[in-house]
Amino acid sequence: MKEKTIRHTGRLPQTFIYLGKLFRMFIFQNDWKVLPMSAIIAGLVSFAVGRNLFKTMEGTLTGTFALSCICIWNGFFNSIQVICRERAIIKREHRSGLHISSYVLAHMIYQAFICICQVIITIVICLATNIVFPKETLLFSIPYIDFGITMFLITYCADMLALMISAIAKTTTTAMTVMPFLLIVQLVFSGGFFSLPDAAEPLTDFTIAKWGLISLCAQGNYNSLPMVTVWNSAVKMKDIEIEGQKPLKIVLQSIEEKGQREEILKQSGLQNQNPKYNFDLKIVLKCWKALLFWIVIYVAVATLFLEYIDKDKR
Amino acid sequence: MIFFSDFYQIFGYVTSTIGFFMIFKKCDVKWWYSFIPVVREYQIALCSDKEKEGQTYAIINFLAYAVGFMTFFYEEGSTYILIPFFILLALIFALIIYKIRIYVGFVKNFGLSKKWIVFFLFFEGIACLVVGLNKNIQPVKKVVNYKLLDETKIGGIKADSIDDGLTVNITDRSILDFFRKKYLLKDIHLTIPKGHMVLLLGGSGAGKTTFVNAVTGYEKANATIELSKHDVYKEYGKMMYDIGFVPQQDLIRGNDTVLLTLTDAASLRLPSDISFADKRKRVADVLELFGLSAVKNNLVDKLSGGQRKRLSIAMEFISDPTLFILDEPDSGLDGVVARSLFKQLRAIADEGKIVIVITHTPDRVIDLFDDVIVLAKDQRRTGRLAFYGAIKDAYEFFGKSSMEEILLSINQKEEGGEGRAEEFVGKYVEKVQVEANV
């Protein structure tokens, strides 16, 4: 019999073996399709909500929420099926000496590459549809890098959440059934876009959308922007008559004539500032840390569940 | 003051308890289970021959009780109560689905029309009462309490460890299934010398895969497995590379080429100090050996069934294992291709390897095997060794002339077999005991 004191391929070389496999899959198994898909989604969203993004408070809240949603959607679709579709193969390879940590690390690296590509595509599409990013930055001198990091972390965090689901789910059907449920939770409990009862507020900390939205709003200097809702409502009500007169129309005309419209909108914004969206590096870093924290948690859970893959029934 | 809903609940509980009580008597289940919530529903599932559904139902039922109990701690009118309420709603929905599944089994086992399922769903208590009281409605299959059955004879004679081969001494392999200990394998002791090609024969659920997993160390049993005096369990980290297991399905990524698939398999399985040139040579040799050189640059998805099977085997053979186990390598292959594959396995065995093969069509290639391991379910549904030895001795032992006939003789009657597993397990234990005394 052979001498058994020999060493076998360690974790790092195994990671590279699997990276090779994943990139081959990118080419041969149509995984590349997630990139043009992200371009189409970004195009549609920026067409719909890009006009007032970083111009007004309302437009920024809607736009950044939509941007977060694009990132979460991209992340989810990147990896929701990647593990469960080849679960039986992983089980076989685990039997032959595969280290689960290497397998997960290979996925993390590969997915990071995909997420970076998607973020670049999304930013390019935003620029192509005339979205103007704020010039003032918090960390790097180029705003696209600041925004890019946030968008990457949102996409990557969603990606790792989907990877975790894919590692837990036994079949692709199960994974795809769970995904919409998670997506709804992300959207509803983002804590910024929909008003939630106080009791549900702690739940928002568990969502990627919340941290993404806060970070993007803070970077977009939300609190310095004008608010148009009050003005638009007043314009709609200008013809209401009170005692034979139209007082709202008179006031609006007066403001327009004196050129105070912008000032009024600015004042309206000042009265509706939200301290959690302050243009503050600490806020952005806190959001990034929260997203990183969830990435670590999702990866740890995915690895832990995959370690028990041998328990899978035939 | 008792409201109608309270009255309905009390009436439902009383009637269902009496109904369950009568049904349990018919199914040989302890009568007092009918008073215990959750447990009684599980027992009804056993009476319906739907054990797995019963387990899930019991767990969901328990959770529903727990969530329902939680709601008492909320203030009246609190919005928080909506959370357990929604969870409870989801659980109740799941309970209804599982109840339907269980009662589908119930009506089948009691020979009732499917219309009864509706009756059971909406008026469970009355339906149970009617079934329980009606003497003409009897179950086809009663609940078997395996603990009460006599245990099939245990030999317990351990096989002596051999230098050049595999020594298997499995005392038992058990699992905990819903708080019950279930024995999957018991009392399997044998040695296989190197150079032997062994057929692993057994009906469905006889424990073939459990046996293979226990032997390879993949799922450890209460056992000692030695490959050339090396303890597989204690030295699993090293021994796993000396054991090749080819699963029944071709679990290979279809989007890779044959060459890259085999190269990656070599990188995973071969020692890390082997040079790249040697690795490449080994891959080329194995490609040649399994007749895959011509298609080495093809995608796996484009291969024929036979080629995929050979690639699957080659992936394990790349590390040149001493023990080589194959689970139905001929599934989906025609007779000619299957025979050619088995000849290749014979050649591997002739190189001094141990080859163990599970196949459901052994007779067409039986001349290529040296020995046969026959596993059978005893009356407690535990996988037991019914025979191990040379092929011709097996024919003599079972009094049959083909492996298919042997399989039929040990299969349960409800599977279309002769149901003689118990007899042969006992006979083999006696044979081993006699040989040990000699």
Side-chain angles (χ1 to χ4, degrees):
Chain A
M1 203 171 119
K2 291 173 286 188
E3 179 55 51
K4 290 294 167 194
T5 51
I6 39 181
R7 292 174 68 84
H8 284 84
T9 314
R11 284 182 163 77
L12 196 62
Q14 279 195 10
T15 305
F16 286 107
I17 292 171
Y18 278 89
L19 264 179
K21 276 185 195 293
L22 291 171
F23 277 102
R24 288 200 293 275
M25 243 187 249
F26 181 74
I27 304 292
F28 295 115
Q29 210 182 35
N30 297 332
D31 277 13
W32 57 270
K33 282 182 181 168
V34 294
L35 299 184
M37 196 176 85
S38 70
I40 293 167
I41 295 169
L44 288 172
V45 171
S46 48
F47 171 73
V49 296
R51 202 173 41 186
N52 289 321
L53 181 59
F54 305 127
K55 285 179 187 163
T56 64
M57 273 184 165
E58 297 86 346
T60 303
L61 193 63
T62 314
T64 50
F65 180 70
L67 272 181
S68 299
C69 291
I70 297 175
C71 295
I72 291 170
W73 182 267
N74 284 339
F76 274 178
F77 262 94
N78 287 346
S79 58
I80 192 70
Q81 293 192 37
V82 289
I83 295 180
C84 52
R85 75 181 171 200
E86 57 172 32
R87 212 175 160 87
I89 297 174
I90 305 164
K91 189 182 171 189
R92 179 186 184 176
E93 287 171 345
H94 192 226
R95 197 173 189 152
S96 311
L98 160 71
H99 293 292
I100 293 297
S101 52
S102 306
Y103 179 77
V104 174
L105 181 61
H107 269 292
M108 286 177 72
I109 298 169
Y110 171 70
Q111 294 300 336
F113 162 78
I114 302 263
C115 291
I116 289 169
C117 292
Q118 286 174 326
V119 168
I120 294 169
I121 289 169
T122 307
I123 291 176
V124 169
I125 295 287
C126 285
L127 292 173
T129 49
N130 295 323
I131 290 174
V132 181
F133 283 83
K135 290 197 168 52
E136 227 179 326
T137 60
L138 281 168
L139 199 64
F140 296 97
S141 53
I142 304 166
Y144 311 125
I145 300 179
D146 275 16
F147 278 97
I149 292 172
T150 301
M151 285 163 71
F152 167 74
L153 285 173
I154 301 169
T155 315
Y156 196 54
C157 196
D159 196 313
M160 290 301 110
L161 174 59
L163 193 81
M164 181 186 85
I165 301 299
S166 193
I168 297 170
K170 298 278 190 292
T171 62
T172 50
T173 314
T174 314
M176 294 304 278
T177 311
V178 172
M179 202 192 75
F181 177 72
L182 284 177
L183 201 62
I184 289 290
V185 170
Q186 291 292 333
L187 304 188
V188 173
F189 289 93
S190 61
F193 203 70
F194 300 104
S195 304
L196 293 169
D198 289 344
E201 203 57 41
L203 292 175
T204 60
D205 288 348
F206 294 90
T207 65
I208 301 162
K210 173 188 178 166
W211 302 110
L213 185 66
I214 293 176
S215 183
L216 288 173
C217 280
Q219 286 170 309
N221 207 349
Y222 174 88
N223 284 338
S224 71
L225 297 172
M227 182 175 243
V228 294
T229 310
V230 179
W231 178 268
N232 289 344
S233 300
V235 169
K236 279 178 191 166
M237 294 191 295
K238 67 179 188 294
D239 292 327
I240 293 175
E241 284 189 20
I242 299 170
E243 293 173 1
Q245 286 194 319
K246 294 178 179 175
L248 218 49
K249 192 173 185 178
I250 295 165
V251 171
L252 289 173
Q253 274 173 347
S254 163
I255 292 170
E256 290 280 12
E257 280 162 14
K258 288 175 187 170
Q260 289 174 327
R261 185 171 171 269
E262 293 306 314
E263 184 55 30
I264 291 288
L265 297 183
K266 202 98 183 162
Q267 282 299 323
S268 175
L270 280 173
Q271 301 308 313
N272 286 284
Q273 282 183 347
N274 189 339
K276 69 178 178 184
Y277 299 144
N278 276 349
F279 189 63
D280 186 345
L281 182 61
K282 276 184 194 162
I283 290 174
V284 174
L285 288 179
K286 188 186 169 190
C287 294
W288 288 1
K289 276 182 202 164
L291 289 169
L292 283 169
F293 169 77
W294 284 115
I295 289 169
V296 172
I297 296 289
Y298 297 147
V299 169
V301 175
T303 313
L304 197 69
F305 269 88
L306 276 183
E307 287 289 354
Y308 290 97
I309 198 164
D310 300 343
K311 305 278 178 208
D312 276 14
K313 290 195 178 93
R314 274 172 293 160
Chain B
M1 189 179 162
I2 296 176
F3 291 104
F4 176 74
S5 63
D6 297 323
F7 172 75
Y8 183 76
Q9 279 192 7
I10 294 167
F11 177 75
Y13 181 78
V14 172
T15 48
S16 61
T17 304
I18 301 169
F20 284 157
F21 177 88
M22 306 299 285
I23 292 168
F24 288 171
K25 280 184 89 176
K26 287 182 180 183
C27 295
D28 287 347
V29 172
K30 287 171 191 159
W31 60 268
W32 49 269
Y33 282 153
S34 58
F35 295 98
I36 311 169
V38 182
V39 176
R40 62 189 203 159
E41 281 83 8
Y42 171 64
Q43 296 298 331
I44 270 291
L46 292 184
C47 295
S48 313
D49 199 21
K50 292 274 179 188
E51 189 178 354
K52 285 286 161 205
E53 283 80 359
Q55 289 175 359
T56 314
Y57 186 90
I59 292 166
I60 299 170
N61 204 352
F62 177 77
L63 287 174
Y65 274 115
V67 174
F69 184 68
M70 271 168 62
T71 57
F72 290 114
F73 294 97
Y74 289 101
E75 282 175 33
E76 212 169 302
S78 162
T79 45
Y80 286 99
I81 208 161
L82 286 174
I83 300 168
F85 177 74
F86 287 137
I87 297 171
L88 197 62
L89 216 60
L91 291 172
I92 289 169
F93 185 73
L95 280 175
I96 293 169
I97 298 293
Y98 274 90
K99 192 168 261 188
I100 293 171
R101 288 186 189 180
I102 290 167
Y103 279 120
V104 165
F106 188 89
V107 294
K108 195 178 166 194
N109 196 34
F110 280 79
L112 299 168
S113 127
K114 280 186 180 166
K115 288 171 195 159
W116 274 80
I117 297 168
V118 182
F119 195 32
F120 273 111
L121 277 180
F122 293 102
F123 309 100
E124 190 181 33
I126 299 170
C128 289
L129 206 60
V130 172
V131 173
L133 291 171
N134 192 332
K135 285 181 181 168
N136 295 326
I137 305 174
Q138 293 294 332
V140 177
K141 209 171 165 184
K142 291 185 177 184
V143 178
V144 183
N145 189 343
Y146 294 112
K147 276 186 184 171
L148 298 177
L149 297 171
D150 292 331
E151 186 164 49
T152 312
K153 214 171 179 181
I154 298 281
I157 297 168
K158 293 203 169 173
D160 292 330
S161 176
I162 55 169
D163 287 336
D164 267 346
L166 176 72
T167 311
V168 177
N169 277 308
I170 299 174
T171 309
D172 60 58
R173 162 87 176 101
S174 61
I175 52 160
L176 263 182
D177 184 33
F178 212 64
F179 312 113
R180 278 188 311 180
K181 196 173 187 181
K182 265 190 182 173
Y183 285 97
L184 305 177
L185 292 176
K186 228 176 201 182
D187 194 36
I188 300 176
H189 307 279
L190 51 93
T191 57
I192 306 172
K194 279 184 180 173
H196 276 229
M197 182 153 144
V198 181
L199 169 68
L200 179 54
L201 196 70
S204 167
K208 298 186 294 290
T209 307
T210 312
F211 172 75
V212 165
N213 285 343
V215 168
T216 55
Y218 192 58
E219 287 174 357
K220 291 180 178 61
N222 177 17
T224 314
I225 313 292
E226 288 180 339
L227 188 55
S228 303
K229 292 269 184 187
H230 288 266
D231 193 312
V232 173
Y233 288 3
K234 286 180 186 161
E235 300 172 53
Y236 183 68
K238 288 183 282 179
M239 296 303 290
M240 65 192 285
Y241 298 99
D242 206 25
I243 299 168
F245 174 74
V246 183
Q248 187 183 347
Q249 300 91 354
D250 302 324
L251 304 172
I252 320 165
R253 289 180 183 82
N255 44 63
D256 246 346
T257 64
V258 172
L259 182 64
L260 284 169
T261 302
L262 216 50
T263 307
D264 284 349
S267 302
L268 269 181
R269 291 163 175 85
L270 289 177
S272 51
D273 55 358
I274 285 187
S275 70
F276 183 67
D278 286 344
K279 211 175 270 180
R280 218 163 55 173
K281 187 179 177 305
R282 176 71 187 152
V283 170
D285 289 347
V286 172
L287 279 172
E288 194 62 42
L289 179 70
F290 286 91
L292 294 165
S293 298
V295 291
K296 67 178 182 183
N297 292 318
N298 289 15
L299 285 180
V300 173
D301 268 344
K302 306 284 176 200
L303 298 181
S304 69
Q307 286 168 333
R308 279 172 75 99
K309 188 60 76 183
R310 275 182 279 153
L311 176 61
S312 183
I313 296 170
M315 281 170 69
E316 295 298 327
F317 191 70
I318 198 99
S319 62
D320 196 19
T322 308
L323 174 60
F324 204 41
I325 303 174
L326 302 100
D327 191 356
E328 293 186 45
D330 55 342
S331 65
L333 303 183
D334 64 56
V336 179
V337 179
R339 186 157 181 88
S340 137
L341 185 73
F342 276 90
K343 275 184 180 171
Q344 220 154 11
L345 296 175
R346 179 71 254 178
I348 291 170
D350 289 341
E351 281 177 20
K353 314 283 181 196
I354 299 166
V355 180
I356 300 175
V357 185
I358 299 171
T359 173
H360 287 303
T361 46
D363 288 310
R364 60 184 178 181
V365 285
I366 198 66
D367 55 305
L368 299 170
F369 286 95
D370 298 299
D371 308 311
V372 58
I373 297 169
V374 182
L375 293 180
K377 274 183 284 190
D378 67 9
Q379 58 175 346
R380 289 189 180 191
R381 298 190 178 263
T382 304
R384 298 288 303 272
L385 186 59
F387 181 79
Y388 169 59
I391 301 293
K392 63 176 175 52
D393 294 343
Y395 292 144
E396 199 180 310
F397 181 83
F398 290 96
K400 304 286 179 188
S401 57
S402 72
M403 287 296 144
E404 208 167 298
E405 286 177 16
I406 291 175
L407 198 59
L408 272 175
S409 70
I410 55 168
N411 275 355
Q412 306 282 321
K413 278 183 180 157
E414 62 254 34
E415 296 164 346
E418 293 173 19
R420 295 170 66 194
E422 202 69 16
E423 173 194 335
F424 289 117
V425 170
K427 187 179 168 186
Y428 184 71
V429 168
E430 280 168 23
K431 178 180 176 284
V432 172
Q433 281 172 339
V434 169
E435 284 170 0
N437 289 334
V438 172

